[in-house]
Amino acid sequence: MSSTALPKRVALHRNPPTESSVPSSVAPSPFDSPRQSPSSTSLSSMASDAENTSGKMIDTYGNEFKIPDYTIKQIRDAIPAHCYQRSAVKSLYYVFRDMAILATVFYVFHNYVTPETVPSMPVRVALWAIYTVIQGLVGTGVWVLAHECGHQAFSPSKVLNDTVGWICHSLLLVPYFSWKISHGKHHKATGNLARDMVFVPKTRDEYASRIGRAAHELSELMEETPILTATNLVLQQLFGWPMYLLTNVTGHNNHERQPEGRGKGKRNGYFGGVNHFNPSSPLYEAKDAKLILLSDLGLFLVGSLLYYIGSTYGWLNLLVWYGIPYLWVNHWLVAITFLQHTDPSLPHYRPEAWDFTRGAAATIDRDFGFVGRHIFHGIIETHVLHHYVSTIPFYNADEASEAIQKVMGQHYRSEAHTGWTGFFKALWTSARTCQWVEPTEGAKGESQHVLFYRNLNGIGVPPAKIPAK
């Protein structure tokens, strides 16, 4: 894939009101040109800009946002026909390759990293730590291949896709059909604040309620401490995935509005009736019940196998062999998904302004080097394409992604030029910068239904000043 590096954007940092200086830093831009240079930035000029937007939409970094003006037909027509072709043989090769790597790594460590061959306990611990990292990376690749199955991008055969997907996801304690259904809803409503299923940002009112303040106070509060940001990030990476499956955390919470009535009295959270394991969950329809139970059966079978291994070979061994690699898989899954849908340049839409084409563009491609390309099967590097046409197999995604960029123009977002280190930096940047979404101050008409990230940490455009109620 050719370089998708774009010109640099200006990250406008604002200090607390008592400071007179306004330091700036530079970050990469998703648009053709930054709105203003660091030297010309001041609180007064930013306030003036905000007051005179007259319907303009301004992202977190101060760049003017334009709503995408192309169609899904233009996107599809731009993709070469052969990119849509799926090969069962090719896809199965990658499954067997990844499974063989997992088995080989286990065999080598189990037989050659032992007290007899490596007498030093610290060295053995370090080597087994490396084992967990490797297995976590490759296990994430298996997760991605099951994800391909869920989108029917694995092969032309739905039976083969669902069989392979059910096996691979069950081995990773993922309820295949349950997740497939909810994930499909995410694709149908990406960027829609009322219907999206993944990393739906809090609105200003929701964020203020979470921290126990009034919405109008957010523009006056002091910044969140870096320690608190780090703590929240660690908790997200450790527990985000199981919490999503158990409580629908980061998913929409509008179940009461569902027309079939299955969401009556159900809310996200513990004991709220919204999860990926119960056939009566409002995430599903009555016709999905058998598939949810089949997903649960896969988890029961794998759970029973793990119990047998732990009972027979020791629970500490099971923790090292499977438990810690499983946590690594969870970490990578949450990090990838979070950074695909969370960035200071990304908009989110109220239903009044949303459509599929706009929502699919509210995603961003990143880069994770060799691991991203060859172990994670390109899920990080071609995610924008994936939201437009999710049935294209990953091995054709680079070519298709280049093709749609010509249609998307400035609406295509990529951080690929930052490399794999930029991926980790983006975790911190997004955690500090993307706290809630709100319309641009002074936005009118349709623009008031397009929301952008704001924060308490003095990064980018300040929160809008709103009167107390």
Side-chain angles (χ1 to χ4, degrees):
M1 183 175 177
S2 61
S3 172
T4 55
L6 298 173
K8 292 183 177 180
R9 65 188 169 198
V10 179
L12 305 177
H13 288 251
R14 111 184 114 80
N15 283 336
T18 55
E19 298 290 333
S20 60
S21 61
V22 183
S24 301
S25 66
V26 178
S29 174
F31 299 103
D32 290 333
S33 60
R35 186 161 175 262
Q36 52 195 339
S37 66
S39 59
S40 65
T41 301
S42 69
L43 288 177
S44 59
S45 65
M46 287 182 62
S48 176
D49 288 338
E51 290 170 2
N52 293 302
T53 52
S54 300
K56 289 183 179 179
M57 295 163 285
I58 306 298
D59 73 11
T60 314
Y61 285 120
N63 295 303
E64 184 177 351
F65 174 79
K66 298 289 187 181
I67 292 176
D69 54 359
Y70 50 85
T71 67
I72 186 63
K73 184 179 186 303
Q74 289 176 293
I75 290 287
R76 289 183 172 274
D77 289 349
I79 300 172
H82 63 266
C83 290
Y84 292 93
Q85 296 176 3
R86 300 160 292 173
S87 168
V89 172
K90 197 167 188 176
S91 297
L92 284 170
Y93 157 75
Y94 284 104
V95 172
F96 289 124
R97 186 204 74 171
D98 287 2
M99 291 294 188
I101 293 173
L102 290 171
T104 300
V105 171
F106 176 80
Y107 176 84
V108 168
F109 276 80
H110 182 61
N111 287 280
Y112 298 104
V113 184
T114 65
E116 293 76 21
T117 55
V118 183
S120 171
M121 170 68 84
V123 174
R124 286 203 312 277
V125 169
L127 289 173
W128 277 104
I130 294 173
Y131 162 90
T132 67
V133 173
I134 295 172
Q135 298 294 73
L137 291 172
V138 181
T140 303
V142 173
W143 196 102
V144 173
L145 293 175
H147 165 262
E148 291 267 301
C149 293
H151 284 291
Q152 306 303 308
F154 189 81
S155 81
S157 169
K158 186 176 186 299
V159 173
L160 178 63
N161 295 341
D162 287 341
T163 300
V164 173
W166 180 74
I167 292 172
C168 290
H169 262 169
S170 295
L171 288 172
L172 296 168
L173 295 180
V174 178
Y176 172 72
F177 291 103
S178 308
W179 177 84
K180 170 187 171 181
I181 294 168
S182 68
H183 187 66
K185 293 182 178 181
H186 159 59
H187 271 258
K188 292 176 182 177
T190 306
N192 187 319
L193 287 169
R195 293 173 44 221
D196 200 354
M197 301 293 296
V198 173
F199 282 108
V200 180
K202 289 179 172 57
T203 62
R204 182 172 181 142
D205 286 340
E206 290 168 341
Y207 183 84
S209 177
R210 184 178 74 84
I211 64 174
R213 305 301 289 258
H216 72 272
E217 295 179 306
L218 292 186
S219 58
E220 309 297 334
L221 296 179
M222 297 299 290
E223 72 174 286
E224 179 180 273
T225 65
I227 292 177
L228 180 58
T229 302
T231 300
N232 290 334
L233 195 56
V234 169
L235 291 174
Q236 171 185 289
Q237 295 308 118
L238 278 176
F239 305 111
W241 173 241
M243 287 293 289
Y244 175 67
L245 294 179
L246 287 167
T247 69
N248 199 44
V249 65
T250 79
H252 78 75
N253 203 17
N254 298 313
H255 311 293
E256 289 272 3
R257 302 178 188 175
Q258 294 184 2
E260 67 273 18
R262 288 170 62 88
K264 283 269 186 212
K266 296 181 179 178
R267 304 281 296 173
N268 293 347
Y270 293 111
F271 312 112
V274 185
N275 62 65
H276 282 71
F277 309 103
N278 188 341
S280 66
S281 170
L283 299 177
Y284 312 111
E285 300 175 26
K287 64 181 178 63
D288 299 322
K290 291 181 180 179
L291 295 176
I292 309 309
L293 293 174
L294 185 56
S295 300
D296 294 344
L297 174 62
L299 300 185
F300 173 78
L301 293 175
V302 173
S304 299
L305 175 62
L306 293 174
Y307 180 81
Y308 170 78
I309 294 173
S311 301
T312 306
Y313 300 100
W315 297 104
L316 182 58
N317 281 333
L318 179 63
L319 176 67
V320 176
W321 295 343
Y322 183 93
I324 298 177
Y326 168 78
L327 292 178
W328 275 115
V329 172
N330 287 357
H331 156 71
W332 290 119
L333 171 61
V334 173
I336 290 168
T337 309
F338 175 64
L339 290 182
Q340 286 167 340
H341 301 95
T342 310
D343 185 81
S345 69
L346 294 181
H348 284 77
Y349 299 89
R350 291 182 178 135
E352 293 87 344
W354 180 90
D355 65 32
F356 178 83
T357 304
R358 295 174 179 183
T363 56
I364 187 167
D365 287 343
R366 302 187 189 273
D367 179 75
F368 205 52
F370 176 87
V371 170
R373 290 289 181 185
H374 300 286
I375 299 180
F376 290 171
H377 306 297
I379 195 172
I380 296 172
E381 290 79 5
T382 59
H383 194 69
V384 176
L385 164 77
H386 176 67
H387 267 276
Y388 278 114
V389 190
S390 58
T391 54
I392 291 179
F394 73 90
Y395 41 79
N396 292 336
D398 279 339
E399 183 179 357
S401 181
E402 288 187 8
I404 71 167
Q405 289 170 36
K406 298 171 185 176
V407 176
M408 295 182 69
Q410 67 172 350
H411 300 293
Y412 171 70
R413 291 173 179 77
S414 172
E415 292 288 322
H417 55 289
T418 64
W420 67 271
T421 57
F423 183 86
F424 290 107
K425 292 176 182 176
L427 271 177
W428 181 255
T429 298
S430 294
R432 293 286 288 171
T433 308
C434 305
Q435 294 184 323
W436 74 86
V437 292
E438 62 180 58
T440 302
E441 190 168 7
K444 300 176 182 178
E446 187 178 47
S447 299
Q448 65 187 312
H449 300 299
V450 184
L451 284 63
F452 299 91
Y453 286 109
R454 302 291 187 255
N455 60 84
L456 299 176
N457 297 322
I459 305 172
V461 175
K465 293 186 179 297
I466 58 177
K469 295 181 180 179

